Amino acid sequence: MKHCKTLFVAAALSAVATVGIVTSCNPAPEGSDPRVEKLLRKMTLEEKVGQTVLFTSDWTVTGPSMRQGYIDDIRSGRCGNIFNAYTADYTRKLQEIAVNETRLGIPLLFGYDVIHGFRTIFPINLGMACTWDMDAITRSAQIAAREASAAGLHWTYSPMCDICVEPRWGRISEGAGEDPYLGSAIAAAMTKGYQGSDLSADNTLLACVKHYAAYGAPQAGRDYNTVDMSERWLREFYLPPYKAAVDAGALSVMASFNELDGVPATANAHLLQDILRDEWGFRGFVVTDYTGINEMVCHGYAADEKDAGRLAMNAGIDMDMQSAAYFNYLVDQVRSGEVKESTLDEAVRRILNVKAALGLFDDPYRYCSPEREASQTLTAQNKAEARSIAAQSMVLLKNDGVLPLRKGARTAVIGALAASKDDLLGSWRGAGEVQAVPATIADAIREVTPAVYAEGCKETGDDRSGFGAALAAARSADQIVLVIGEDCQWTGEAASRTSINIPGVQSELLEKLAATGKPLAVVLLNGRPLDLSAVSAAAGALLEAWYPGTMGGYAVADVLFGDVNPSGKLCVTFPRNLGQVPIYHYAKNTGRPYVHPEAKYESRYLDCPNEPLYAFGHGLSYTTFSYSDITLSAASFGAGDTLQASVTVTNTGGRTGTETVQMYIRDLVGSVTRPVRQLKGFERVTLAPGESKQLTFDINPETISFWRADMTWGPEAGGFKVFIGGSSDNVKEAEFSYE
Ligand code: NOJ
C-alpha cells in the first residue's frame, strides 16, 4: 500500500504563478506501511543492516574503489541495494536472487545516474536550465524516467541542485546555474518529471536530491574541496533548490562529499536532522555519496572507518553508498550500544517504505520489461523532443547579422568538435551511447547546405598543422562555422580547471579564420562559463550550444540556419576573465559601489570593468523585443496583499520569437543587506512580428521575504525596486513600498 497525497508547493513551477500543485508520494505520513512493520519485526540485525547497504555492480565505474562480490552480498541478504546495473534482463537476474534466495525475499532497489537522459541524452543540465522552460524540463525527466524504468531502474541520482558561481568547478555543468529561484523551479520540475503523480507506476523513478548541501561552493573551484559560509548565505543562496525538490515530493536525498562549517555533510546533524527533517519535514531516506563515510577519515573527522560509520548513522544517514562501513561494522555497533537499534530501525523503515511506495512489494519485477525497454527507448518521439529541447537550450550570445546562415551557400565547417559525436553527449551521459547519435554538427550542416569540413586543430594541444587546410577551406567558402570549446570530459566530476580559457590553439585558429573576412559564426561546446572576451571580439556571431545531447548535431544546424529561432537565456554569468570570479547577478551593492568613472576609492578593478561579458539572463534572438515601462497596481501593499507589476512586450523584428521575461526585485534597506537584483519571476512568451502581450507578475509578502537579522523568514517594511526585462542587465524599473 502506498500513501499519496497532494501538496501545495511554494516552489516556482511556473514563473508568474509561483504556487503550483504537485502530487507527492509520501511513504509514512500517517505511519509506516504495515508490510514494512511486519518485516521489521522479523528481521535479524544482519538483515536490517543489509537494507542500509548500497554497492555498485561492475558495469559502470563512477567512483574510486569497488567492492568485489556484490552478487554474493545480495544472496546473503547483506546488500539490499545496487547501483550501476541496468537492462531489464540483468536487473531481473539480480532481483531474482534477492527475492528467491534470501530468507525474507526483500526486493533490491536499483539506482543509476540518470542525469540528463538515460538512453536519449538531452543537453547537459546547465544547458537545459537555459531554456527557462519548466514544461520542457519536466518532459525531459519523464522521458528519462520512462527509458530508465523500462531497463529495470527505480532510482535516479538527480536532480542535482547545487547552486554554483564557480566556473573552475567541473560540476557546474551538472546543475542549473547560479540562481536560487530558477534553480528551485528546475529542481521541482525535474522531481515532478521523474516521480510523476504515482511513484509506483512502472514508468516513474524515485528522485534523489543532491548533493546536500552546498557542494557547488568548493574553495578555489577544486572538486571535493572545503566549503565554508555563513548560515544566512547557506539558507538564502544555496539551500532553496534542495528544499524545492523535497517540497515537490522527492523521497531520497544524497549527502555531499564536502564539509560545511568544519563538519562533513555525511555526518552533519544540523543539515540532516535540524534542517532536512525537522524544518522541511523530509520523510524519505538519505544516502551518502560514493564512499562518503570512509572519506570522513581523510577529512580528519573520524578516527577510522568504523568510527565514521557510527558518526554517519547517528547523524541521520540511512544508506551507505559503497563505503562498506555499515556492512562491516554496524551489526557490532548496535550490539555494543554505540548505535541504538531504534536508530537502525528508523533507517530501515525509511528505506523499506520507499521500496513499498515504488510498488516493489507488490511486484518486484515491475520495472524490468524487455518489451518496454525495446519499444520505449530512443523512440522517434524521444529523439524529436531531445532535438527541440537542445535547440531551445542554446544561447545566442552575439550576432552582428551573420546568423542565421544562408542555406545553399558554401559553408566551411571547422574544428575537431564539429566532427565529434562523443562530445555532443557531455559528461554524465548515463547509458547514452555514441552509436545512438545520428549526426555530428558537420554531418547535420551537410544535410542543409554544401559544406566542406576541416579539423583545423584539436580541442587541446598545440598542433597547428591543420591550420593551412582549414584556412583553405574557409577561403573557398561563402560562410564559416567554427566549433570550439572543451572536450566533454573536461567537465563534470573531478574535472576542475585553473583556467577558463578556450583550451589549446583553438583561439589562434579563430583569429586566423576571422582575418579572412568571411562571415564567421562560432559555436561553443562547453560545460562552464568560459572567458570569451577574445572570441567574442573576433566572431561575427557566437552561439553557446553547451553539450546538446543525442540530437545535438541537428539542433545546432536548426539554430544556425534559422529553422529554430534561438530563445535560450544564460542561467549563469560569463565573466570577462577569471579574475572577476565569483561574479553573479545576485550581488550586494557594497558601501562603495563603483559609480564615478574616474573614482579610485570605489569597488572596482583597475584593469577590467566590473560588468561581466555576458550577464545572467542574457540571450539574443533572430528577432527583437521592446519593453514598455512598468505599471504597478498600487504604489504600496501590505500583509495579505498582492501587488501586480505589468509590462507590455512587443516583437519589433521580422520573425516569430520567444522571449523569457524576467522580474527582479531589490529591497532598498534591510535589517541585513539585500542583493541589488534578486530573480523573483519569469515567463516565456512567443510573439509573432508586430505582436504585443502584457505580462503581469505578482509581488506578495513571500516574494520579498528573506532571512532577517534575527534569522526568521519574512518581509520587512520599506522601499523596494522592481525590475523587468529580457536580461538581468537590461531592465525597466519602478518603485513600491511594503507597509
Ligand atoms: C559520485 C557523484 O558525486 C554522484 O553525483 C553520483 O551520483 C555518485 N558518484 C554515484 O555514481
Side-chain angles (χ1 to χ4, degrees), residues 56 60-64 83-84 86 111-126 128 144 156-160 162 169-175 190 194 210-211 215 223-224 254 257 289-290 321 422-433 487-495 527 547-550:
T56 180
T60 312
V61 179
T62 58
F83 69 119
N84 291 338
Y86 54 92
Y112 196 62
D113 288 290
V114 183
I115 307 296
H116 51 109
F118 179 62
R119 295 279 192 191
T120 304
I121 301 303
F122 293 90
I124 57 163
N125 303 76
L126 196 64
M128 212 119 75
T156 172
Y157 302 139
S158 175
M160 197 271 215
D162 304 323
W169 192 50
R171 304 197 80 171
I172 192 172
S173 60
E174 288 175 56
M190 291 184 77
Y194 291 133
K210 74 185 191 188
H211 305 82
Y215 180 44
D223 209 359
Y224 319 122
M254 186 186 292
F257 286 125
D289 203 342
Y290 203 111
M321 182 195 287
D422 183 65
D423 287 288
L424 293 176
L425 297 178
S427 61
W428 283 119
R429 75 267 299 263
E433 288 173 353
D487 179 313
C488 71
Q489 295 308 330
W490 279 39
T491 69
E493 188 176 353
Y547 298 110
T550 305

Side-chain angles (χ1 to χ4, degrees), residues 289-627:
D289 203 342
Y290 203 111
T291 56
I293 294 181
N294 296 350
E295 290 171 23
M296 291 199 287
V297 178
C298 290
H299 274 291
Y301 191 72
D304 50 33
E305 290 177 4
K306 182 174 178 195
D307 190 34
R310 174 186 63 83
L311 289 164
M313 178 53 71
N314 286 336
I317 293 285
D318 304 303
M319 192 185 283
D320 170 1
M321 182 195 287
Q322 198 60 9
S323 284
Y326 288 1
F327 179 90
N328 286 324
Y329 310 112
L330 193 48
V331 168
D332 287 348
Q333 285 169 324
V334 172
R335 288 209 175 105
S336 70
E338 287 168 89
V339 172
K340 288 191 193 138
E341 186 160 359
S342 58
T343 306
L344 173 62
D345 283 353
E346 197 47 37
V348 176
R349 178 176 284 118
R350 290 173 185 142
I351 293 163
L352 292 182
N353 270 300
V354 171
K355 290 189 178 183
L358 282 159
L360 294 177
F361 291 124
D362 305 312
D363 175 6
Y365 307 108
R366 169 170 297 182
Y367 297 80
C368 322
S369 163
E371 297 74 38
R372 282 195 305 118
E373 196 176 23
S375 66
Q376 307 217 352
T377 300
L378 280 164
T379 62
Q381 196 196 341
N382 294 359
K383 288 194 272 189
E385 195 73 73
R387 179 171 176 167
S388 128
I389 292 176
Q392 248 186 282
S393 73
M394 292 174 197
V395 184
L396 183 60
L397 295 173
K398 173 187 174 181
N399 189 13
D400 65 5
V402 168
L403 294 181
L405 295 173
R406 283 187 295 128
K407 285 187 186 174
R410 276 172 308 144
T411 306
V413 184
I414 297 168
L417 289 169
S420 168
K421 289 187 172 177
D422 183 65
D423 287 288
L424 293 176
L425 297 178
S427 61
W428 283 119
R429 75 267 299 263
E433 288 173 353
V434 171
Q435 299 86 290
V437 177
T440 64
I441 295 174
D443 296 335
I445 291 178
R446 247 181 246 119
E447 290 185 27
V448 178
T449 201
V452 45
Y453 171 74
E455 183 182 83
C457 63
K458 305 269 186 225
E459 308 92 86
T460 52
D462 58 2
D463 184 356
R464 298 169 175 84
S465 60
F467 279 21
L471 279 165
R475 288 197 191 102
S476 72
D478 304 315
Q479 50 193 14
I480 309 168
V481 175
L482 172 66
V483 185
I484 54 176
E486 300 173 288
D487 179 313
C488 71
Q489 295 308 330
W490 279 39
T491 69
E493 188 176 353
S496 296
R497 297 182 59 194
T498 59
S499 155
I500 54 169
N501 292 344
I502 303 269
V505 291
Q506 296 176 99
S507 302
E508 226 179 281
L509 177 61
L510 165 61
E511 301 286 344
K512 292 200 182 316
L513 293 171
T516 64
K518 296 280 168 86
L520 170 60
V522 171
V523 176
L524 293 159
L525 296 193
N526 55 293
R528 53 163 60 80
L530 292 173
D531 172 349
L532 300 178
S533 293
V535 177
S536 172
L542 206 48
L543 181 69
E544 175 54 79
W546 310 109
Y547 298 110
T550 305
M551 301 302 286
Y554 286 122
V556 167
D558 290 342
V559 174
L560 288 179
F561 288 89
D563 294 321
V564 173
N565 190 351
S567 59
K569 297 278 188 181
L570 289 179
C571 64
V572 69
T573 302
F574 273 54
R576 289 173 192 272
N577 57 48
L578 187 58
Q580 287 187 316
V581 168
I583 180 168
Y584 48 96
H585 70 289
Y586 199 106
K588 305 287 184 74
N589 204 35
T590 80
R592 293 188 178 189
Y594 179 39
V595 285
H596 304 99
E598 300 307 322
K600 176 163 175 60
Y601 297 103
E602 293 186 352
S603 182
R604 59 171 294 201
Y605 299 105
L606 294 177
D607 56 356
C608 178
N610 280 4
E611 292 71 34
L613 186 65
Y614 295 115
F616 176 86
H618 169 75
L620 305 172
S621 161
Y622 295 151
T623 190
T624 47
F625 299 97
S626 74
Y627 284 72

Side-chain angles (χ1 to χ4, degrees), residues 46-98:
E46 285 77 3
E47 285 163 339
K48 288 179 185 173
V49 170
Q51 291 304 308
T52 69
V53 171
L54 169 63
F55 283 148
T56 180
S57 81
D58 45 12
W59 278 38
T60 312
V61 179
T62 58
S65 70
M66 238 178 48
R67 196 193 136 72
Q68 302 299 317
Y70 64 95
I71 295 186
D72 291 340
D73 295 334
I74 296 171
R75 189 168 281 123
S76 65
R78 297 191 63 205
C79 170
N81 314 281
I82 290 289
F83 69 119
N84 291 338
Y86 54 92
T87 73
D89 285 344
Y90 193 57
T91 54
R92 173 175 285 271
K93 185 176 153 208
L94 298 182
Q95 194 68 294
E96 277 171 354
I97 297 173

